[in-house]
Amino acid sequence: MTTATGRVRAPELRGAGGWINTDRPLSLRDLRGRVVVLDFWTFCCINCLRVIEELRDLEQRFGDRLVVIGVHSPKFPHESDHSAVVRAVARHRIAHPVLDDPEMETWQQYGVRAWPTLVVIDPDGYVVAMASGEGNGQALAGVIEHLLEGRNDLAVGAAFSAVSVARDTALAYPGKVASDGGSRIAVADTGNDRILVCDLEGRILDRYDGFHQPQGVRFDGDRLLVCDTVSGEVVAITMADGVRTVLASGLRSPWDCVRLEDGRIAIAEAGLHRIIAIPGDGGRVASIAGTGAEGLRDGPAATAHLAQPSGLTRLPGDALAFADSEVSALRVLRDGIVETLVGQGLFEWGVADGDRSSARLQHPLGVAALDDGGIAVADTFNSLLRVWTAGALRTLQLSEPVDEPGGLDLLPDGRLLVADTNHHRVVIVAIATGEVIEIPIREDLAGRKAAALTGAARERLELTASVDLEGADLDVTQGPPVHVNVSADPPALLGPGPRAWALDTLPVSVDVQLGTPGTGTLVVDVIASTCEGDVCTIARATREHRLTVS
């Protein structure tokens, strides 16, 4: 992190898009007496999203003495749409204020040159440090500690009031979808940190909680493969008993995965701009395409440049097609060679159909191989579905629009399964006609609502809950039979401390530490393993509380 040598007054914050996550516009003058960190970001950028996760720890650590302000500075045209920025802030669970700066006024005032960039402003309103890229969390913490040391004149109390928006849908920003080749589908319910297995009528057959913004999901025999994107893990779930095995960890934002013919699992590691492979049961990671440099360069896979690969599908002959989102490209890895079908570079995008020279995409995230040899593409920032076939790209004319589709798979009857991300739904699309049919995935949301809760920031809140076992006994043969998970939206409503417990009895009583002031939703989920005779199953109860932290 570069530290400023002279005292430069921080320019005021200006953005034509206005403010998000605050009930009033903010000015640096109003924030005197606090350390302010400006996070210049754009929601297409995987490094920006990773920095948001780094900042969460600092916000909890320093509390009201630190104010983080996101300054959204768009790369793609779609990111200049204020409503798209609002949805992105909600999708990535950003609790701090965000200035929407579509004309990049504040970017220019601060001389920013790259995404992401962090700027530190001291309690007196002067710029004291600046850093680009991710991985600056420790250095940034040191700068903040130094600025706060010995200061007795610092402001106290909340600097702003957060604004949250309630949803009434079962899904929240679903990212990826998969078909088992029969009547079941899997949905990465990204905004709810879980994976759902459903039938084509929308009935929920299984639910796997406890992930952290999962994306890629695939059926793999009797297992589900899950890319747990924020935690950096690829996990296998044995569907018969729900047992989870971590196949790879320490990855940088794994976004999609698919099994290869040789039994290995290919993974799109978006944060390191490469495609990797691991043994089917986990083990050593091997790079199969990309050097780690961000860009568009074809040729031998070991020297090719990729840019945030975010969707994978297997083609005949064990080739892979992938959506390379930051270069707005559809590319193929075949026989150790990377070839671009659509795409021209980091700052080339559009919406045109046509051949390789004329076709354009805008930040695609999903791909699916078709039975006729074509490739379907989720053209995410254009909110379109496209098909590459016979050397040309064409756009499907849909019966109703989709909004930032994130994932695709092919159903046995040749129709497309689509994660319609910003509409919080999964749909089926007929390629020939463009007919769109929603799969009505629903939960009994009314039965989940519970009494409102209130508490003061950083205080403990006791939660009690139970579940109706309908006369069955808890199954204590496999360890603690009761599992409790607590989560909040926005996450900053909860402070540091445990979020999950394994217990022996019902009812349960746990306590959490409250975080920063605001209003949102607290979810308490209780799962109990039961046995009645030789029949063992699980019972579940989920409650949603309106939570206000003062």
Side-chain angles (χ1 to χ4, degrees), residues 161-504:
S161 296
V163 176
S164 63
V165 178
R167 287 180 294 97
D168 60 359
T169 56
L171 301 178
Y173 303 105
K176 298 291 185 185
V177 288
S179 166
D180 73 344
S183 61
R184 293 181 304 171
I185 63 171
V187 181
D189 190 10
T190 309
N192 286 323
D193 292 325
R194 63 183 183 176
I195 304 296
L196 300 179
V197 177
C198 310
D199 63 19
L200 291 174
E201 284 70 50
R203 289 185 289 266
I204 297 175
L205 307 176
D206 286 297
R207 185 171 111 180
Y208 304 99
D209 294 280
F211 291 100
H212 198 173
Q213 298 185 40
Q215 285 287 342
V217 59
R218 297 282 177 180
F219 287 95
D220 182 41
D222 64 350
R223 308 189 303 177
L224 274 177
L225 304 177
V226 180
C227 292
D228 198 20
T229 302
V230 171
S231 71
E233 295 179 339
V234 174
V235 178
I237 305 173
T238 305
M239 289 184 285
D241 55 15
V243 171
R244 305 183 188 193
T245 303
V246 176
L247 304 181
S249 61
L251 304 182
R252 297 267 288 274
S253 301
W255 211 269
D256 203 1
C257 62
V258 66
R259 182 177 279 276
L260 300 172
E261 285 184 356
D262 64 8
R264 294 183 299 164
I265 299 167
I267 302 163
E269 191 179 16
L272 276 183
H273 313 297
R274 63 178 186 166
I275 299 173
I276 59 176
I278 59 174
D281 291 325
R284 186 164 174 246
V285 170
S287 178
I288 59 175
T291 65
E294 184 179 24
L296 189 148
R297 185 169 78 186
D298 287 349
T303 59
H305 289 177
L306 314 184
Q308 206 171 307
S310 301
L312 295 174
T313 190
R314 207 174 81 190
L315 302 177
D318 215 24
L320 288 175
F322 60 99
D324 216 13
S325 60
E326 275 298 284
V327 283
S328 298
L330 171 63
R331 307 178 78 180
V332 173
L333 170 61
R334 179 182 285 112
D335 298 327
I337 302 295
V338 173
E339 176 188 12
T340 299
L341 304 180
V342 178
Q344 301 294 322
L346 280 165
F347 294 94
E348 290 284 340
W349 52 75
V351 71
D353 288 341
D355 62 13
R356 294 188 188 208
S357 62
S358 59
R360 295 290 186 273
L361 300 162
Q362 187 183 176
H363 198 75
L365 290 180
V367 287
L370 304 179
D371 290 336
D372 63 1
I375 304 168
V377 182
D379 191 7
T380 306
F381 280 7
N382 283 324
S383 290
L384 296 173
L385 300 181
R386 322 284 293 277
V387 173
W388 173 264
T389 184
L393 187 71
R394 65 182 177 91
T395 301
L396 298 185
Q397 301 302 313
L398 304 181
S399 62
E400 59 182 87
V402 293
D403 192 346
E404 289 192 30
L408 305 175
D409 203 5
L410 192 67
L411 291 171
D413 62 7
R415 293 182 297 170
L416 280 176
L417 183 67
V418 182
D420 189 4
T421 303
N422 278 344
H423 284 150
H424 309 295
R425 64 177 187 167
V426 174
V427 299
I428 296 174
V429 175
I431 296 174
T433 66
E435 181 186 19
V436 176
I437 301 174
E438 180 179 356
I439 298 177
I441 299 172
R442 296 290 183 266
E443 289 182 306
D444 182 11
L445 297 177
R448 294 165 56 119
K449 300 300 181 184
L453 300 173
T454 60
R458 292 182 290 278
E459 285 189 353
R460 310 299 299 186
L461 178 67
E462 184 179 6
L463 302 168
T464 58
S466 193
V467 58
D468 184 3
L469 301 183
E470 298 182 352
D473 295 322
L474 289 173
D475 177 15
V476 297
T477 62
Q478 303 295 324
V482 180
H483 295 267
V484 182
N485 291 278
V486 176
S487 61
D489 181 17
L493 292 174
L494 292 181
R499 302 283 192 276
W501 297 262
L503 306 171
D504 294 319

Side-chain angles (χ1 to χ4, degrees), residues 69-91:
I69 296 176
V71 183
H72 189 267
S73 311
K75 171 186 173 181
F76 288 99
H78 177 66
E79 295 173 302
S80 296
D81 179 351
H82 181 71
S83 61
V85 181
V86 171
R87 289 190 296 268
V89 168
R91 183 167 66 248

Side-chain angles (χ1 to χ4, degrees), residues 119 128 140 154 259 391 474:
V119 175
V128 295
L140 181 58
L154 298 178
R259 182 177 279 276
L474 289 173

